[in-house]
């Protein structure tokens, strides 16, 4: 394992080195986005297309007594009005969620969260459809809602899921990991035990493009074409086949350009199904695009974990054990998108980057009258929650021990020679070398100087805080022996075809929502086969054009599909070598691969380029025995393990003592995602994730009032950060390749979203140390910081 | 995309023609100026109007900043951006530029107007607080060219309610100029472009001897309307500026306002900000008056 230090900060110079392989280059997809030529779902226009609008529940919990659609049906331009009862007649009122629960497509019996789908209208245009919604008369019997997850299991709590046979309470599941008895024993004899209640509030990914679909069902050939905002087109196709009974070969799912996903576009939403039903019933293409409020109140939220964290240590700061008890709010339907054996996602990595003796987690998940979801917002299947818990509780320990939080972390890291390292909850970290990453971040920050400055400022009554977070992620789901979503294994296919003139097309199962796949995957193939990225077309997002795979989320594209792309290119290269040996009339073993050409060993003057080989593969003349014409290959890659990127983040904040406003002054992010394919794209992913982190730490929260009304239904109420709230990011990196990934790469798409919130919160809490503050929950709005300063910090829910 | 209910739309050709239309159409019609308050409400279907009368074609007539010796007159259709960029206005009343720097974002500022801000009568509206602080009067024109002039206290009759009746238009804001002036504005927001958690404006007029000849404080987001606090004026008038005086003023601000707990913050915190920001803006206003 090699670790390379790169002390240089972000370089913006020469971002376009046009590498034939890995290296900085401008994104191939950017010209179309920069010129406004991206083609999103809402840009799809088909002849005769109709528009669909959804009527949503104004109540969090209510029984539906009647739905009168007669006035809406008579409204100008209306073609179709559909209620839950009408769907029930077709057996389509309910659909499976990604967690083996069911969710209403349109409510039949009850509404279970504010914003739930009740009926839909299809009309000539968006305006007519929306106007007709106002004419649908729904009579509700309003019921008491369950808003506070802590009260969901009380005996007198209203029963939310009376649709489930035999269900008598709001319990979803219990889950545990680690060794309870061993952990209890370590805690019982530890010098120091620190306990803190830590809330990760409900937040929303709020992608710039909301969710939507255009469904076009052709009754003659029985084919359904569905353009939709999906991060997992293949998985969605299979599920539509199962739910709607349309044969899978007659379904084409197309994910066109997508304006941000962040996990919000992993689930199948009722709106997609409504659009399909609308198209089948009207015989016309039907477009549904939700508006901003609909996106915020009804689609996949994130977090909502109420965690009790406990940490046991020796007096001199050796961490011995971590224990946590979690109450998970899953909303009205369990719509978590995670591998089935992992109902809490990958929360099990809550032991973080530390070599400890024991760990245990007990979790209870409950239903509440809120929108379903739970795994979204670049969370790497709940690693955001896990990293936040461990990095916050480690800081609480540092506070109690009066120890520097950097020193405490350095003292407890898993050591490089311990990799592969199996954690006390059974995760096998593939590789890591933590101390150099931490030291580099401290160097860039000028950590000792910052602490000196802080001491001087404290003496003057100024509030400055320095926060650290060190994370290890587990990304790239996943090995098919352990991981599947509703029975679909998480392996990814990839196809590569070299055209006669030496240009190439690579077909991916994963789809980009802004991550830059059209560039990164061209570079992965270019590195292996020596064709410039500009000559490699990346095809993705269309199930008729691409091989099967599970999609882009959980930072899995590079770990899984990236490996597939590298291996398929090597397979093509192997074939090219056979052809080259015939062309050069030497044995295969006598050839050396120099990027882009095969060369006769010891005689560089004799070589053939990959382009010449491609022409020969398709040309006239004989090929070696047993070699077919053409130059192409296909594989399906099943990862043997996840990849475990890590990083060290340091945040510096200043707080105005008079107004309690937090200013993030500096943020240093050193990431180690193994082999770096396109550093510029990595930096872009990191910058975006850090900005998300500022949002979550300081301002974002989907709150509810006591009646279950969502208080974050617009971007005026649900704040997301702007350029003015973020500092100039200072990034650096180390490189610890993954030993099992063919090019040593690990995922990075979510690292910064996972790693940054604890750094920011730790910095704010550190700034408030003079007030005796050990913990304060997100979002750290000025009002909540002011409460903390007066010793009145409260949980946000 | 959020879509409004159907409405009819007409572009105004003159102030009096717009008044004529409003008179005829009554309460089913609304003027649209910058549209940055009205249109979001219509798209969310919180407000539906049958007719919109667009007064943007009247920008030549109603968009102006005239700085006179005794008075500054600003046309109701003057845009945020024009207020922000006017050096003359900043010299006469520095509070305007302070406030405009923290109102919304450039897109909103390019369209949103002074008149729309005041007529929206949102308790968090920053320009209303500015006008309250500067003791502005509002010129309202009605049918037949009849004009009346009302004070800010009379203008805002409740949250989202003004003295402008059906068939009337706010045409101009008048701000009296007096010697020895300094003013300042401060806003606490959760994020750039967000509405105020609390904001405060302060204006002072110093006498030749350096004492405070007059002072006014206006607060936003701490009550049903932006609030002027006469008790502060009464208390600090004729006093020499001092930290103790600002503290006294801050304490009065905290106790005189009536904030509510909401997503932006607790009532206690807002009260604290009323105090803190009153002290800060008074301090800065005095510094400016002196220099
Ligand atoms: C994203 C966003 C952020 C914002 N942030 C802030 C902020 O931080 N601080 C702040 O103070 N404001 C903020 N605003 C509001 C902004 O300043 C608006 O422009 C302003 O409130 C209304 O001005 P307008 O010209 O757009 O009015 P319009 O929306 O056109 O009209 C508002 C109301 O006033 C009436 N009206 C308009 N002109 C007249 C007139 N001459 N006579 C009689 N009635 C009239 C209209 O009929 C309507 O009822 C924000 C707005 C947005 C969209």
């Amino acid at each position: 394992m090699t670790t390379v230090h790169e002390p240089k900060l972000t370089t913006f110079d020469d971002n376009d080195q046009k590498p034939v392989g890995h290296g900085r280059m401008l994104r191939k997809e950017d010209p179309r986005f920069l010129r406004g030529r991206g083609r999103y779902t809402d840009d799809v226009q088909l002849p005769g297309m109709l528009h669909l609008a959804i009527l949503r529940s104004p109540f969090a919990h209510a029984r539906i007594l009647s739905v009168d659609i007669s006035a809406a049906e008579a409204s100008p331009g209306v073609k179709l009005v559909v209620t839950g009862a009408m769907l029930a007649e077709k057996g389509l009122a309910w659909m499976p969620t990604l967690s083996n629960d069911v969710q209403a497509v349109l409510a039949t019996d009850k509404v279970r969260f504010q914003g739930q789908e009740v009926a839909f209208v299809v009309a000539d245009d968006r305006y007519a459809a929306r106007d007709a919604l106002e004419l649908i008369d729904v009579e509700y019997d309003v019921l008491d809602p369950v808003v506070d997850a802590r009260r969901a299991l009380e005996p007198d709590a209203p029963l939310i899921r009376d649709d489930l046979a035999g269900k008598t309470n709001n319990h979803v599941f219990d889950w545990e990991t680690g060794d309870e008895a061993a952990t209890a024993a370590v805690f019982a004899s530890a010098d120091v035990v620190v306990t803190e209640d830590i809330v990760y509030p409900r937040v929303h990914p709020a992608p710039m493009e909301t969710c939507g679909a255009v469904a076009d069902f052709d009754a003659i050939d029985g084919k359904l074409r569905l353009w939709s905002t999906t991060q997992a087109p293949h998985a969605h196709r299979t599920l539509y086949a199962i739910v709607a009974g349309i044969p899978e070969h007659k379904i084409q799912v197309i994910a066109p350009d997508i304006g941000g996903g962040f996990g919000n576009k992993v689930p199948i939403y009722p709106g997609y199904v409504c659009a399909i039903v609308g198209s089948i019933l009207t015989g016309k293409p039907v477009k549904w695009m939700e508006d901003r409020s609909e996106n915020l109140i009804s689609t996949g939220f994130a977090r909502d974990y109420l965690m009790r964290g406990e940490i046991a240590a020796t007096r001199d700061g050796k961490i011995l054990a971590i224990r946590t008890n979690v109450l998970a709010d899953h909303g009205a339907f369990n719509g978590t998108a995670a591998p089935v054996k992992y109902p809490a996602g990958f929360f099990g990595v809550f032991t973080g980057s530390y070599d400890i003796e024991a760990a245990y987690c007990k979790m209870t998940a409950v239903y509440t009258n809120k929108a379903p979801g739970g795994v979204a917002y670049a969370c790497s299947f709940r690693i955001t929650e896990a990293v936040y818990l461990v990095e916050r509780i480690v800081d609480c320990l540092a506070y109690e021990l009066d120890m520097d939080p950097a020193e405490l972390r350095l003292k407890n890291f898993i050591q490089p020679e311990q990799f592969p390292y199996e954690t006390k909850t059974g995760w096998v970290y593939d590789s890591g070398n933590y101390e150099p990453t931490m030291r580099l971040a401290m160097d860039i920050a000028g950590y000792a100087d910052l602490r000196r400055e802080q001491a001087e400022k404290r003496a003057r009554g100024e509030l400055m805080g320095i926060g650290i977070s060190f994370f290890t992620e587990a990304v790239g789901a996943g090995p098919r022996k352990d991981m599947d979503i509703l029975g679909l294994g998480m392996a990814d296919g990839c196809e590569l075809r070299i055209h006669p003139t030496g240009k190439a097309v690579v077909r991916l199962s994963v789809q980009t929502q802004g991550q830059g796949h059209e560039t990164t995957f061209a570079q992965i193939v270019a590195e292996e086969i020596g064709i410039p990225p500009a000559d490699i077309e990346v095809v993705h997002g269309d199930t008729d054009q691409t091989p099967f795979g599970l999609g882009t989320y959980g930072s899995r594209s590079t770990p899984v599909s990236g490996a597939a792309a590298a291996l398929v290119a090597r397979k093509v290269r192997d074939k090219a070598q056979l052809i080259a040996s015939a062309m050069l009339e030497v044995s295969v073993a006598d050839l050396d691969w120099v990027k882009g050409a095969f060369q006769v060993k010891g005689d560089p003057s004799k070589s053939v380029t990959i382009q010449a080989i491609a022409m020969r593969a398709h040309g006239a003349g004989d090929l070696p025995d047993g070699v077919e014409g053409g130059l192409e290959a296909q594989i399906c890659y099943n990862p043997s393990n996840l990849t475990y990127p890590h990083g060290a983040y340091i945040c510096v904040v200043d707080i105005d003592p008079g107004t309690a406003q937090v200013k993030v002054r500096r943020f240093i992010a050193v990431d180690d995602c193994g082999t770096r394919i396109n550093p510029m794209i990595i930096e872009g992913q990191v910058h975006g994730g850090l900005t998300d982190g500022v949002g979550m730490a300081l301002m974002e929260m989907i709150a509810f009032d006591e009646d279950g009304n969502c208080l974050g239904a617009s971007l005026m109420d649900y704040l997301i950060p702007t350029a003015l709230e973020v500092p100039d990011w200072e990034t650096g990196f180390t490189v610890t390749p993954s030993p099992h990934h063919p090019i040593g790469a690990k995922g990075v798409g979510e690292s910064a979203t996972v790693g940054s919130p604890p750094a920011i919160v730790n910095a704010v809490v550190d700034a408030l140390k003079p007030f005796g503050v050990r913990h304060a929950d997100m979002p750290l709005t000025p009002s909540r910081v002011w409460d903390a300063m007066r010793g009145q910090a409260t949980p946000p829910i | 995309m959020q879509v409004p209910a159907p409405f009819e739309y007409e572009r105004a050709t003159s102030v009096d023609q717009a008044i004529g239309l409003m008179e005829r159409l009554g309460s089913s019609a609304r003027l649209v100026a910058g549209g940055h308050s009205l249109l979001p409400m219509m798209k969310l279907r919180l407000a539906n109007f049958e007719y919109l009368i667009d007064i943007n074609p009247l920008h030549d007539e109603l968009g102006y900043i005239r700085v006179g010796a005794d008075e500054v007159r600003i046309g109701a259709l003057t845009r945020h951006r024009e207020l922000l960029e006017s050096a003359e206005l900043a010299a006469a009343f520095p509070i305007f530029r302070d406030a405009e720097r923290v109102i919304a974002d450039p897109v909103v500022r390019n369209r949103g107007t002074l008149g729309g801000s005041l007529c929206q009568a949102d308790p968090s509206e920053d320009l209303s607080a500015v006008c309250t602080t500067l003791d502005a009067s509002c010129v309202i024109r009605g049918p037949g060219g009849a004009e009346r002039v009302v004070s800010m206290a009379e203008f805002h009759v409740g949250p989202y309610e003004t003295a402008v009746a059906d068939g009337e238009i706010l045409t101009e804001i008048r701000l009296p100029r007096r010697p020895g002036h300094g003013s300042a504005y401060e806003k606490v927001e959760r994020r750039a472009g967000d509405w105020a958690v609390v904001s405060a404006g302060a204006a002072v007029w110093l006498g030749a001897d350096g004492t405070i000849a007059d002072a006014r404080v206006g607060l936003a987001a701490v009550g049903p309307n932006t609030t002027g606090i006469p008790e502060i004026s009464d208390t600090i008038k004729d006093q020499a500026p001092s930290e103790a005086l600002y503290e006294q003023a801050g304490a009065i601000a905290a106790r005189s306002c009536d904030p509510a707990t909401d997503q932006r913050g607790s009532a206690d915190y807002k009260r604290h900000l009323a105090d803190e920001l009153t002290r800060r803006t008074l301090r800065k206003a005095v510094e400016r008056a002196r220099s």
Side-chain angles (χ1 to χ4, degrees):
Chain A
M1 185 193 332
T2 51
T3 299
V4 183
H5 301 260
E6 178 55 64
K8 209 163 66 173
L9 302 186
T10 312
T11 48
F12 295 110
D13 49 316
D14 203 2
N15 263 336
D16 201 13
Q17 298 169 4
K18 303 225 169 2
V20 181
H22 305 167
R24 302 186 93 83
M25 67 173 267
L26 294 184
R27 302 199 321 167
K28 292 176 62 175
E29 47 267 79
D30 280 345
R32 81 169 179 276
F33 293 126
L34 295 174
R35 290 174 193 179
R37 299 294 287 274
R39 190 173 152 83
Y40 299 89
T41 298
D42 204 15
D43 294 321
V44 174
Q45 298 291 349
L46 300 176
M49 188 173 76
L50 302 174
H51 294 262
L52 185 147
I54 293 175
L55 181 72
R56 293 176 183 277
S57 167
F59 302 111
H61 199 190
R63 195 162 295 286
I64 297 177
L65 301 179
S66 66
V67 184
D68 180 354
I69 58 172
S70 51
E73 284 181 315
S75 185
V78 170
K79 295 287 188 283
L80 177 73
V81 184
V82 172
T83 64
M86 292 159 72
L87 284 188
E89 287 168 19
K90 300 180 194 308
L92 286 174
W94 294 84
M95 63 178 185
T97 69
L98 296 178
S99 289
N100 284 316
D101 192 359
V102 290
Q103 169 175 5
V105 176
L106 294 178
T108 49
D109 51 342
K110 283 202 309 190
V111 288
R112 292 175 171 84
F113 66 92
Q114 188 190 46
Q116 189 181 335
E117 299 78 0
V118 173
F120 71 80
V121 171
V122 177
D124 286 335
D125 61 49
R126 201 180 285 235
Y127 292 84
R130 179 68 183 79
D131 291 345
L133 293 185
E134 320 239 307
L135 302 174
I136 299 176
D137 189 9
V138 186
E139 214 185 325
Y140 293 101
D141 176 19
V142 179
L143 305 169
D144 284 339
V146 179
V147 182
D148 184 346
R150 298 175 194 87
R151 307 195 50 191
L153 295 181
E154 286 179 359
D156 60 345
L159 178 62
I160 300 171
R161 295 301 301 278
D162 47 356
D163 59 297
L164 298 174
K167 193 85 191 150
T168 55
N169 60 25
N170 297 316
H171 182 259
V172 185
F173 64 77
D174 283 328
W175 175 80
E176 62 177 347
T177 187
D179 186 331
E180 184 174 17
T183 308
V186 175
F187 266 88
S189 61
D191 300 344
V192 185
V193 170
V194 178
T195 303
E196 191 67 73
D197 285 330
I198 295 171
V199 175
Y200 211 132
R202 179 176 278 238
V203 290
H204 197 279
M208 204 182 307
E209 178 203 32
T210 58
C211 299
V214 177
D216 185 14
F217 182 73
D218 185 327
I220 304 214
D221 65 10
K223 178 140 184 172
L224 170 69
R225 283 187 300 163
L226 185 75
W227 287 261
S228 69
T229 52
T230 169
Q231 294 177 230
H234 290 278
H236 279 197
R237 182 186 56 184
T238 306
L239 293 180
Y240 290 130
I242 292 167
V243 178
I246 303 172
E248 196 166 0
H249 68 295
K250 292 290 189 185
I251 303 175
Q252 179 184 11
V253 175
I254 304 164
D257 284 330
I258 292 190
F262 313 104
N264 188 239
K265 292 166 182 168
V266 173
I268 290 185
Y269 292 119
Y272 302 153
V273 178
C274 292
I276 294 171
V277 171
S279 180
I280 292 174
L281 293 182
T282 60
K284 293 274 171 53
V286 170
K287 178 186 282 185
W288 166 69
M289 271 319 288
E290 67 187 2
D291 65 31
R292 178 62 58 194
S293 297
E294 294 181 285
N295 181 255
L296 285 168
I297 64 174
S298 74
T299 63
F301 74 95
R303 330 288 194 257
D304 232 341
Y305 266 28
L306 291 89
M307 306 178 278
R308 166 153 298 176
E310 291 176 284
I311 190 164
T314 63
R315 175 69 44 206
D316 63 353
K318 177 78 195 80
I319 302 173
L320 302 172
I322 299 175
R323 183 163 58 189
T324 179
N325 197 302
V326 181
L327 179 63
D329 183 340
H330 278 238
F333 306 102
N334 183 16
T336 292
V340 280
K341 286 184 202 153
Y342 299 82
F346 299 168
F347 186 77
V349 300
F350 68 89
T351 56
S353 313
Y354 311 108
D355 183 26
I356 61 176
E357 292 174 13
Y360 178 68
C361 168
K362 166 98 183 12
M363 180 181 296
T364 299
V366 296
Y367 290 119
T368 59
N369 288 110
K370 300 178 195 166
V375 170
Y377 207 168
C379 75
S380 302
F381 295 123
R382 304 274 194 196
I383 295 178
T384 32
E385 290 92 317
V387 165
Y388 183 65
L389 174 81
V390 59
E391 289 307 289
R392 197 72 272 294
I393 198 75
V394 164
D395 255 39
C396 293
L397 176 65
Y399 180 98
E400 288 306 322
L401 297 174
D402 201 18
M403 196 169 163
D404 183 278
E407 192 190 326
L408 178 59
R409 286 176 171 83
L410 284 163
K411 188 172 177 135
N412 287 284
F413 280 151
I414 301 163
Q415 295 302 303
E417 62 278 5
Q418 290 178 280
F419 291 93
Y421 176 87
E422 181 166 353
T423 71
K424 291 294 177 287
T425 48
W427 298 76
V428 180
Y429 292 6
D430 60 345
S431 65
N433 191 0
Y434 295 162
E435 182 166 343
T437 310
M438 184 72 174
R439 297 265 179 220
L440 178 56
M442 292 168 75
D443 282 354
I444 297 173
Y447 188 71
D449 289 343
L450 285 173
R451 286 287 174 205
R452 256 192 302 279
E453 180 192 345
Q454 181 183 40
E456 287 163 21
K457 290 204 158 137
R458 269 193 189 153
R460 295 199 297 267
E462 292 172 39
L463 303 179
M464 165 183 170
I466 304 159
I468 294 172
S469 118
F470 195 98
F471 65 89
T472 299
E473 273 222 273
V475 300
R480 57 193 299 166
K481 68 176 171 9
D482 298 325
M483 296 183 187
D484 67 87
I485 288 184
L486 292 185
L488 298 173
M490 303 187 80
D492 281 0
C494 190
E495 289 172 19
L496 176 64
R497 183 178 301 172
I498 316 290
H499 301 309
T501 56
K503 315 292 183 195
V505 54
V506 59
R507 297 173 190 276
L508 311 176
S509 65
V510 290
Q511 207 281 345
T512 180
Q513 307 110 42
Q515 296 91 339
H517 287 181
E518 290 167 35
T519 310
T520 295
F521 283 84
Q523 290 187 265
I524 292 172
V525 171
E527 178 76 26
E528 301 299 330
I529 199 107
I531 295 174
D535 291 349
I536 301 170
E537 180 78 1
V538 176
V539 175
H540 59 138
D542 180 339
T543 54
D544 274 8
Q545 303 279 339
T546 57
F548 188 85
L550 267 236
T552 296
Y553 43 82
S555 298
R556 68 185 294 283
S557 287
T558 296
V560 187
S561 273
L567 291 178
V568 80
R570 287 179 194 172
K571 201 167 168 186
V572 167
R573 195 173 73 202
D574 288 345
K575 179 173 179 183
Q577 188 166 5
L578 296 175
I579 300 172
S581 79
M583 291 169 77
L584 293 167
E585 297 178 336
V586 293
S587 80
V588 166
D590 284 335
L591 291 173
D592 275 337
W593 171 251
V594 286
K595 201 190 270 180
F598 281 104
Q599 212 172 67
V600 175
K601 278 202 167 91
D603 185 358
S605 70
K606 282 191 170 169
S607 74
V608 283
T609 64
I610 186 75
Q611 288 81 5
I613 298 168
M615 186 55 88
R616 177 63 174 261
H618 294 88
D622 273 347
L623 291 170
D625 275 353
V627 175
E628 289 174 14
L631 194 54
E632 57 194 65
Q634 169 172 2
I635 70 154
C636 183
Y637 176 76
N638 176 30
S640 58
N641 188 6
L642 303 175
T643 65
Y644 292 79
H646 67 268
Y649 290 179
I650 299 179
C651 175
V652 183
V653 301
D654 298 302
I655 300 178
D656 182 326
T659 64
Q661 284 171 295
V662 176
K663 173 92 194 146
V664 179
R665 189 207 310 172
R666 289 182 67 195
F667 200 105
I668 296 91
V670 176
D671 274 280
D672 189 324
C673 58
T675 302
R676 293 162 70 82
I677 298 158
N678 184 331
M680 187 198 72
I681 286 183
I682 293 172
E683 284 157 13
Q685 294 284 293
V686 170
H687 288 190
L690 296 176
T691 306
D692 283 342
V694 169
M696 285 177 272
L698 300 184
M699 62 191 81
E700 296 183 27
M701 173 165 163
I702 296 281
F704 294 85
D705 70 12
E706 57 195 17
D707 296 324
N709 295 308
C710 177
L711 303 178
S714 80
L715 292 182
M716 195 172 97
D717 305 299
Y718 185 73
L719 294 185
I720 51 179
T722 74
L724 294 174
E725 280 73 44
V726 302
D728 283 342
W729 307 116
E730 300 170 61
T731 57
F733 63 93
T734 55
V735 177
T736 311
S738 168
H740 64 84
H741 188 280
I743 58 173
K746 300 178 176 184
V748 74
E750 300 166 317
S751 289
T753 318
V754 167
S756 57
I760 301 164
V761 174
N762 287 347
V764 172
V765 171
D766 184 50
L768 299 181
K769 200 170 181 183
F771 299 95
V773 176
R774 194 179 80 180
H775 176 68
D777 283 313
M778 301 184 280
L780 291 165
T781 58
S783 183
R784 295 177 48 75
V785 172
W786 189 67
D787 287 344
M789 284 164 67
R790 293 177 309 134
Q792 296 177 6
T794 48
I797 43 176
Chain B
M1 187 177 69
Q2 264 138 345
V3 294
F7 61 88
E8 289 187 35
Y9 170 89
E10 181 137 354
R11 288 169 74 77
T13 54
S14 73
V15 172
D16 291 327
Q17 177 252 6
I19 291 171
L21 279 172
M22 297 277 291
E23 211 188 345
R24 214 176 62 227
L25 300 169
S27 61
S28 63
R30 266 297 157 108
L31 297 178
V32 59
H36 272 297
S37 291
L38 188 64
L39 298 187
M41 289 197 307
M42 291 177 66
K43 288 169 84 172
L44 291 167
R45 300 198 181 212
L46 298 171
N48 293 325
F49 300 103
E50 282 174 50
Y51 303 93
L52 286 194
I53 299 157
D54 185 348
I55 55 174
N56 284 284
L58 311 183
H59 186 256
D60 282 351
E61 199 178 340
L62 291 180
Y64 54 84
I65 300 169
R66 292 187 193 125
V67 179
D70 303 330
E71 193 176 58
V72 175
R73 295 181 170 208
I74 308 179
L77 211 57
T78 308
R79 309 215 186 262
H80 287 301
R81 180 180 168 176
E82 294 165 324
L83 298 170
L84 175 66
E85 291 177 353
S86 167
E88 262 193 311
L89 182 62
F93 299 115
I95 186 175
F96 260 103
R97 184 164 286 174
D98 285 358
E100 284 294 356
R101 281 202 171 116
V102 291
I103 292 175
D105 51 52
V107 176
V108 174
R109 291 200 296 258
N110 280 340
R111 290 294 288 179
T113 66
L114 173 59
S117 297
L118 265 50
C119 292
Q120 183 63 23
D122 186 306
S124 308
E125 198 81 53
D126 290 299
L127 287 184
S128 299
V130 169
C131 289
T132 300
T133 305
L134 294 178
D135 200 14
S137 40
C138 309
V139 181
I140 300 170
R141 197 187 308 177
E147 266 189 7
R148 56 198 182 100
V149 180
V150 303
S151 71
M152 280 302 293
E154 295 161 330
F155 186 79
H156 282 153
V157 298
Y160 309 100
E161 263 183 89
T162 70
V164 182
D166 287 347
E168 287 188 322
I169 290 187
L170 172 68
T171 53
E172 187 178 84
I173 306 302
R174 294 180 184 160
L175 307 157
R177 289 191 79 181
R178 286 179 280 163
H181 172 76
S183 56
Y185 197 76
E186 285 229 20
K187 171 176 174 178
V188 170
E189 49 191 1
R190 294 172 301 171
R191 189 207 63 193
D194 187 24
W195 293 80
V197 179
V198 171
S199 46
V204 298
W205 292 267
L206 299 185
D209 59 354
T211 59
I212 295 173
D214 195 9
R216 296 177 59 87
V217 169
L219 300 175
V222 288
N225 275 120
T226 60
T227 334
I229 303 170
E231 193 189 338
I232 295 184
S233 309
D234 296 344
T235 308
I236 70 177
K237 218 182 244 178
D238 301 327
Q239 307 279 325
S242 70
E243 279 303 315
L245 199 63
Y246 307 149
E247 259 174 50
Q248 224 181 324
I252 297 170
R255 114 168 97 73
S256 319
C257 65
D258 186 19
T261 295
D262 60 19
Q263 292 274 61
R264 291 198 165 77
S266 66
D268 281 350
Y269 173 64
K270 293 180 184 181
R271 226 176 258 287
H272 162 76
L273 285 182
D275 174 359
E276 179 74 27
L277 299 184
T278 296
R279 281 185 281 137
R280 287 186 186 191
T281 49
L282 272 174
R283 191 182 298 129
K284 200 188 275 178
V286 169
E287 273 166 29
R288 283 174 172 168
R290 282 175 177 157
S291 62

